Amino acid sequence: EVQLVESGGGLVQPGGSLRLSCAASEFTFSSYWMHWVRQAPGKGLVWVSRINSDGSSTNYADSVKGRFTISRDNAKNTLYLQMNSLRAEDTAVYYCAREVREAARPGSFDYWGQGTLVTVSS
Amino acid sequence: EIVMTQSPATLSVSPGERATLSCRASQSVSSNLAWYQQKPGQAPRLLIYGASTRATGIPARFSGSGSGTEFTLTISSLQSEDFAVYYCQQYNSWPRTFGQGTKLEIK
């Protein structure tokens, strides 16, 4: 069965950095666009970033543009999110999610990881 | 940015009854609309994509309808495991945006 397992979350001070990882298994990782979505405590889902299948194209939410970088290593079946200049408002559970695309059309997120908690606090 | 607005924020329904959840987009998203279910402490689960197609393994009591800017998720006969938070999401344009969620609670 498809598995997405996030890691790398933790407590970090404002202005600090953190790198999240998402290990994928049981599917052809290199064929899928991947996303990061976050959820602040008690709040709703917010899309953060996406990367296409070969890593040549990315998009970011305005709130993280210039501070976060999404990347992937298809040889290691792993998605990354490098987070710099962290702020208190970045505190959230971060999920990685797989986008299902049919005939190159945009798609929904059919598989999600269990999430990793990032807490930005002094 | 397309704003997704869900209503109501909270819906109280008795088991066995029908629940109807609404989602409105600030501009047309065609049929590029998904619904997700999230239970406490769990990741979201895809229920409906393409506005009306059930995802793999989703029971037939879940149905979606609509296109353009108005969408509906209907749960025909609520089971105990259906009480959760439901989110709609548009994937027609960037950034992808979610509604604020509807909490479905037991009446």
Side-chain angles (χ1 to χ4, degrees), chain A residues 3 20 24 37 40 50-51 56-57 59 75-76 83-84 86 100-101 104:
Chain A
Q3 277 210 318
L20 307 183
V37 176
R50 73 91 185 168
I51 188 167
S56 62
S57 174
N59 286 90
K76 296 183 177 180
M83 304 186 295
N84 298 331
L86 282 161
V100 54
R101 296 170 66 87

Side-chain angles (χ1 to χ4, degrees), chain B:
Chain B
E1 172 175 320
I2 297 176
V3 177
M4 307 300 293
T5 303
Q6 293 185 240
S7 60
T10 303
L11 183 60
S12 299
V13 183
S14 300
E17 293 190 340
R18 173 188 297 256
T20 302
L21 289 66
S22 296
C23 175
R24 173 177 292 176
S26 60
Q27 61 191 79
S28 176
V29 299
S30 185
S31 293
N32 294 319
L33 189 285
W35 290 94
Y36 300 88
Q37 177 194 68
Q38 188 179 34
K39 297 179 180 179
Q42 296 185 16
R45 177 174 72 145
L46 177 64
L47 297 176
I48 300 286
Y49 64 92
S52 61
T53 303
R54 280 190 303 277
T56 302
I58 301 304
R61 64 180 181 273
F62 291 90
S63 63
S65 63
S67 66
T69 62
E70 299 284 342
F71 301 89
T72 300
L73 174 70
T74 301
I75 311 171
S76 60
S77 178
L78 280 162
Q79 307 296 304
S80 57
E81 62 266 29
D82 300 334
F83 292 95
V85 179
Y86 292 82
Y87 295 94
C88 61
Q89 179 216 17
Q90 66 82 19
Y91 50 92
N92 193 65
S93 66
W94 300 104
R96 305 291 194 242
T97 45
F98 292 87
Q100 81 280 16
T102 290
K103 182 179 181 180
L104 183 56
E105 62 177 27
I106 300 174
K107 186 174 182 179

